[in-house]
Amino acid sequence: MITCVKCKLSSSVLKAGFVRGRQRFLCKTCDYHFTEEKPAGQLTERRRSQTTIGDVAKAVGVASSTVSRALNGHTDISPVTRQAILDVARQMDYHPNLLAQSLKSRETHTLGVIIPDIERPFFATVVSGIQSVASEAGYRVMICQSKESYETEVSNVQALVASRVDGLLICHSRETENFDHVKPAACRGVPVVHFDRVSNEVDSAKVILDDWNGAFNVTEHLIQQGARRIAILAGPESLLISRNRLAGYQHALKRYNLPLRPEYEVHIEFRTEEAVAALDKWLALPEPPDAIFAINYTNAFDLLVALKKRGLRVPDDIAVVGFGDEFMASMIEPGLTTVNLHPYRIGQQAARLFLEQVRQKEDFQPRTFVITGELVIRGSSLKGKGELFSLSI
Amino acid sequence: MITCVKCKLSSSVLKAGFVRGRQRFLCKTCDYHFTEEKPAGQLTERRRSQTTIGDVAKAVGVASSTVSRALNGHTDISPVTRQAILDVARQMDYHPNLLAQSLKSRETHTLGVIIPDIERPFFATVVSGIQSVASEAGYRVMICQSKESYETEVSNVQALVASRVDGLLICHSRETENFDHVKPAACRGVPVVHFDRVSNEVDSAKVILDDWNGAFNVTEHLIQQGARRIAILAGPESLLISRNRLAGYQHALKRYNLPLRPEYEVHIEFRTEEAVAALDKWLALPEPPDAIFAINYTNAFDLLVALKKRGLRVPDDIAVVGFGDEFMASMIEPGLTTVNLHPYRIGQQAARLFLEQVRQKEDFQPRTFVITGELVIRGSSLKGKGELFSLSI
DNA sequence: AACGATTCCGGAAACGTTACCGATAGTTTT
DNA sequence: AAAACTATCGGTAACGTTTCCGGAATCGTT
């Protein structure tokens, strides 16, 4: 027999349909609807929850707002109460719920980082640099990989923004040509810092590396080692870094009155076969190069291997220089002369620019930070024998 | 003249002290306290907030619970209302607040990963594997580096647990000997998956690699190439992987009736100088080795460089094999024979074990997954000339 | 008609925290 | 001793969701 939960009468109770699998009733006298008790097969499934600020408050016998004040070092609290709360909190193993705090404060203390590929040493080191600065400042880091896909990059940005990261540090994918997804409107106010592959379409803080100067320096070094016929293994012409490095190379040649030979400039997509093919083309020339500048470190290794197979000596027959990746360059013999791009510093600087932006808020003026690479000379370019080349200007 | 905010009288208003820099008043007739208006120098600082579910509800003219139902594909809603809400939501650029959702649902859809160092190719690839599976399942990944420090590792665990990650994937630091911080009590119910460097103290899911078999295979390969005097450059005896790889090496020798020579077993801390010193010690022996197994890929490269400098040919004079790091091993000439540890698979498997644990909840039985390395034969061990060695058992 | 079923929607209570503001009791000033 | 002040503390409303559950309208069935 069903009784109304209000008037306790059972006489005027009518059935009133089903809702979510349970019988509903209507008491005519009370004009009140209600449903039958829950099946409650298993006993109430205790909420296996953490101790909250309320639990501590109850234990101490104060209001939760007081506990909050005690925990956050607020002023409006007496030393004795504070200490009592702190003791109980520790004893109850209380830990604040960062989610609730973030919901309230609108800050997650989390940084989103988007890179093409974490497996590339350059980016791994950048991430490491970012993390060193970020964790110092109390920020956690969430990492996404675009895998050089524009679509993935966009969805990464959206996911990070949806997670309410406090900032977005991004290096665009190779595919990316549209930058709407990192504009303020799309990011809903989340500060964005670009590094390495940047976009001038967006008015954001940027950290870039000085490709032009790096390429100039490494080319100049080859010239000073006695090289006169310097070839360059450049990347896709669409890539900004490729254009800049080529320009630096060309400028060095001009500076030292060496001719720019079109047959010495080859653009590839960084594939090994392409690098080897370019080398063979060069070797077949009436005047083969006596030095090669590979703007990508992988291709530099490709060249070293191919040269060895063809019985040519490095650097005596042909010197080789690369760009980036310190570790691997130092591990082989002869060591590969490269430009250290300081990826760790790039990461650190990007994170610092973010922190600056957070602290200055609207006053922040986006600025671009240039990291200059450092020429690291190793065996692959040290001709040694070479007559010293004197500046002829 | 101050008037009471309730009775509008100014006669019975008394001053009543200062609070947080503002004058307080007390109306005697109302017995009501109040403070003077806020300085309000700047106009109310509009809360630069996102559109919420409430905003959409207001715009459509329904309750926020209805909007929630529409957005989440709930049943209790009419198609027309749902569509109207969806349209307005899109138009108002509504995005759900994941923080609020997480607070409610107690799920963050975030995975915490702790590794010693992201710059090491092995770990970078593991992370990549983790991410591939995680993002497929809708999880974001938060990465921390312990930098081989126990303290940092502990604080990383605490930070991730405090962020309410749904799971913790960890590879312990080299220093770690106490594992209390990854026990269920310390992690407050967050599922933990170990990979690579695991602890048997904790009853958790694990992914380990079969060091023993890998070492056995690579040693067997050397024997089959005709090597008879095989030295091993092992790591610290305290390290589990070092002991396992040594055991696999020893077993292979025994299996093929080769003597275990103590002078051929050297333990180092993976430093380059140590590797070179070990090599020189071996070369000075009356019977120097004809093959060396370096259990760490870095040391394998050290050996290659040192051998080259000493005018010895690889593999003809001495064969060299390493362990791990596919990329670099394949880049050099001769290529380095190694065991591919499949770090990507390790990461994938760790993430899968986590997902399994989440889905099965209490029913989950922790289990250990063993990833077997794959022998990748390259030039550094292919003696070629060697008479074929026939199994003599 | 009277009862029952179905459908759809609103209100309110969580989730855990912090900020605001009013309310006391006790202390000092006039 | 009234008036003014200080030091503490409690209550409540947010933050943005989701989940209950009751209310009301509509439709079908005896």
PDB file of all heavy atoms in Angstrom, chain A residues 231 260-266 281-282 285 287:
ATOM      1  N   ALA A 231      78.586  24.358 -51.411  1.00  0.00           N
ATOM      2  CA  ALA A 231      77.219  24.043 -51.823  1.00  0.00           C
ATOM      3  C   ALA A 231      76.292  24.107 -50.610  1.00  0.00           C
ATOM      4  O   ALA A 231      76.741  23.999 -49.471  1.00  0.00           O
ATOM      5  CB  ALA A 231      77.161  22.648 -52.438  1.00  0.00           C
ATOM      6  N   LEU A 260      77.940  33.198 -56.543  1.00  0.00           N
ATOM      7  CA  LEU A 260      76.768  32.377 -56.205  1.00  0.00           C
ATOM      8  C   LEU A 260      76.518  31.459 -57.386  1.00  0.00           C
ATOM      9  O   LEU A 260      76.153  31.920 -58.459  1.00  0.00           O
ATOM     10  CB  LEU A 260      75.530  33.253 -55.990  1.00  0.00           C
ATOM     11  CG  LEU A 260      75.515  34.198 -54.797  1.00  0.00           C
ATOM     12  CD1 LEU A 260      74.175  34.915 -54.724  1.00  0.00           C
ATOM     13  CD2 LEU A 260      75.776  33.436 -53.524  1.00  0.00           C
ATOM     14  N   ARG A 261      76.714  30.173 -57.185  1.00  0.00           N
ATOM     15  CA  ARG A 261      76.479  29.266 -58.310  1.00  0.00           C
ATOM     16  C   ARG A 261      75.143  28.552 -58.124  1.00  0.00           C
ATOM     17  O   ARG A 261      74.963  27.817 -57.156  1.00  0.00           O
ATOM     18  CB  ARG A 261      77.570  28.215 -58.368  1.00  0.00           C
ATOM     19  CG  ARG A 261      78.973  28.801 -58.388  1.00  0.00           C
ATOM     20  CD  ARG A 261      79.918  27.761 -58.917  1.00  0.00           C
ATOM     21  NE  ARG A 261      81.299  28.102 -58.663  1.00  0.00           N
ATOM     22  CZ  ARG A 261      82.322  27.359 -59.094  1.00  0.00           C
ATOM     23  NH1 ARG A 261      82.079  26.242 -59.758  1.00  0.00           N
ATOM     24  NH2 ARG A 261      83.562  27.717 -58.837  1.00  0.00           N
ATOM     25  N   PRO A 262      74.232  28.761 -59.035  1.00  0.00           N
ATOM     26  CA  PRO A 262      72.903  28.125 -58.908  1.00  0.00           C
ATOM     27  C   PRO A 262      73.014  26.610 -58.785  1.00  0.00           C
ATOM     28  O   PRO A 262      72.212  25.993 -58.078  1.00  0.00           O
ATOM     29  CB  PRO A 262      72.205  28.505 -60.221  1.00  0.00           C
ATOM     30  CG  PRO A 262      72.946  29.675 -60.741  1.00  0.00           C
ATOM     31  CD  PRO A 262      74.364  29.562 -60.260  1.00  0.00           C
ATOM     32  N   GLU A 263      73.994  26.011 -59.446  1.00  0.00           N
ATOM     33  CA  GLU A 263      74.090  24.556 -59.389  1.00  0.00           C
ATOM     34  C   GLU A 263      74.508  24.086 -58.002  1.00  0.00           C
ATOM     35  O   GLU A 263      74.401  22.895 -57.692  1.00  0.00           O
ATOM     36  CB  GLU A 263      75.070  24.034 -60.443  1.00  0.00           C
ATOM     37  CG  GLU A 263      76.536  24.383 -60.194  1.00  0.00           C
ATOM     38  CD  GLU A 263      76.946  25.719 -60.807  1.00  0.00           C
ATOM     39  OE1 GLU A 263      76.043  26.567 -60.992  1.00  0.00           O
ATOM     40  OE2 GLU A 263      78.144  25.910 -61.092  1.00  0.00           O
ATOM     41  N   TYR A 264      74.956  24.982 -57.167  1.00  0.00           N
ATOM     42  CA  TYR A 264      75.339  24.609 -55.799  1.00  0.00           C
ATOM     43  C   TYR A 264      74.176  24.735 -54.807  1.00  0.00           C
ATOM     44  O   TYR A 264      74.313  24.418 -53.640  1.00  0.00           O
ATOM     45  CB  TYR A 264      76.498  25.486 -55.313  1.00  0.00           C
ATOM     46  CG  TYR A 264      77.844  25.063 -55.848  1.00  0.00           C
ATOM     47  CD1 TYR A 264      78.990  25.786 -55.535  1.00  0.00           C
ATOM     48  CD2 TYR A 264      77.971  23.936 -56.656  1.00  0.00           C
ATOM     49  CE1 TYR A 264      80.228  25.421 -56.013  1.00  0.00           C
ATOM     50  CE2 TYR A 264      79.203  23.561 -57.155  1.00  0.00           C
ATOM     51  CZ  TYR A 264      80.334  24.308 -56.836  1.00  0.00           C
ATOM     52  OH  TYR A 264      81.556  23.938 -57.315  1.00  0.00           O
ATOM     53  N   GLU A 265      73.066  25.263 -55.291  1.00  0.00           N
ATOM     54  CA  GLU A 265      71.913  25.433 -54.398  1.00  0.00           C
ATOM     55  C   GLU A 265      70.847  24.395 -54.735  1.00  0.00           C
ATOM     56  O   GLU A 265      70.274  24.433 -55.814  1.00  0.00           O
ATOM     57  CB  GLU A 265      71.307  26.831 -54.540  1.00  0.00           C
ATOM     58  CG  GLU A 265      72.228  27.921 -54.027  1.00  0.00           C
ATOM     59  CD  GLU A 265      71.637  29.308 -54.234  1.00  0.00           C
ATOM     60  OE1 GLU A 265      70.429  29.402 -54.541  1.00  0.00           O
ATOM     61  OE2 GLU A 265      72.396  30.283 -54.101  1.00  0.00           O
ATOM     62  N   VAL A 266      70.604  23.499 -53.804  1.00  0.00           N
ATOM     63  CA  VAL A 266      69.588  22.475 -54.052  1.00  0.00           C
ATOM     64  C   VAL A 266      68.549  22.509 -52.942  1.00  0.00           C
ATOM     65  O   VAL A 266      68.898  22.546 -51.762  1.00  0.00           O
ATOM     66  CB  VAL A 266      70.218  21.068 -54.127  1.00  0.00           C
ATOM     67  CG1 VAL A 266      69.142  20.001 -54.215  1.00  0.00           C
ATOM     68  CG2 VAL A 266      71.156  20.980 -55.326  1.00  0.00           C
ATOM     69  N   LYS A 281      74.885  14.477 -57.747  1.00  0.00           N
ATOM     70  CA  LYS A 281      74.822  15.484 -58.809  1.00  0.00           C
ATOM     71  C   LYS A 281      76.021  16.436 -58.693  1.00  0.00           C
ATOM     72  O   LYS A 281      76.668  16.782 -59.680  1.00  0.00           O
ATOM     73  CB  LYS A 281      73.507  16.257 -58.710  1.00  0.00           C
ATOM     74  CG  LYS A 281      72.911  16.688 -60.050  1.00  0.00           C
ATOM     75  CD  LYS A 281      71.802  17.708 -59.871  1.00  0.00           C
ATOM     76  CE  LYS A 281      72.351  19.061 -59.451  1.00  0.00           C
ATOM     77  NZ  LYS A 281      71.290  20.062 -59.221  1.00  0.00           N
ATOM     78  N   TRP A 282      76.296  16.811 -57.453  1.00  0.00           N
ATOM     79  CA  TRP A 282      77.412  17.742 -57.226  1.00  0.00           C
ATOM     80  C   TRP A 282      78.748  17.096 -57.592  1.00  0.00           C
ATOM     81  O   TRP A 282      79.615  17.709 -58.187  1.00  0.00           O
ATOM     82  CB  TRP A 282      77.434  18.186 -55.751  1.00  0.00           C
ATOM     83  CG  TRP A 282      76.412  19.237 -55.448  1.00  0.00           C
ATOM     84  CD1 TRP A 282      75.960  20.209 -56.284  1.00  0.00           C
ATOM     85  CD2 TRP A 282      75.726  19.426 -54.213  1.00  0.00           C
ATOM     86  NE1 TRP A 282      75.023  21.000 -55.646  1.00  0.00           N
ATOM     87  CE2 TRP A 282      74.867  20.538 -54.362  1.00  0.00           C
ATOM     88  CE3 TRP A 282      75.749  18.770 -52.978  1.00  0.00           C
ATOM     89  CZ2 TRP A 282      74.049  21.014 -53.340  1.00  0.00           C
ATOM     90  CZ3 TRP A 282      74.945  19.251 -51.960  1.00  0.00           C
ATOM     91  CH2 TRP A 282      74.089  20.346 -52.139  1.00  0.00           C
ATOM     92  N   LEU A 285      79.785  17.203 -61.144  1.00  0.00           N
ATOM     93  CA  LEU A 285      80.064  18.495 -61.780  1.00  0.00           C
ATOM     94  C   LEU A 285      81.542  18.591 -62.164  1.00  0.00           C
ATOM     95  O   LEU A 285      82.392  17.928 -61.576  1.00  0.00           O
ATOM     96  CB  LEU A 285      79.734  19.633 -60.804  1.00  0.00           C
ATOM     97  CG  LEU A 285      78.253  19.902 -60.501  1.00  0.00           C
ATOM     98  CD1 LEU A 285      78.125  21.004 -59.466  1.00  0.00           C
ATOM     99  CD2 LEU A 285      77.516  20.291 -61.782  1.00  0.00           C
ATOM    100  N   GLU A 287      83.338  21.067 -61.593  1.00  0.00           N
ATOM    101  CA  GLU A 287      83.939  21.616 -60.381  1.00  0.00           C
ATOM    102  C   GLU A 287      83.091  21.246 -59.173  1.00  0.00           C
ATOM    103  O   GLU A 287      82.223  22.025 -58.756  1.00  0.00           O
ATOM    104  CB  GLU A 287      84.051  23.139 -60.475  1.00  0.00           C
ATOM    105  CG  GLU A 287      85.245  23.615 -61.276  1.00  0.00           C
ATOM    106  CD  GLU A 287      85.516  25.090 -61.002  1.00  0.00           C
ATOM    107  OE1 GLU A 287      84.561  25.882 -61.064  1.00  0.00           O
ATOM    108  OE2 GLU A 287      86.662  25.435 -60.690  1.00  0.00           O
TER     109      GLU A 287
END
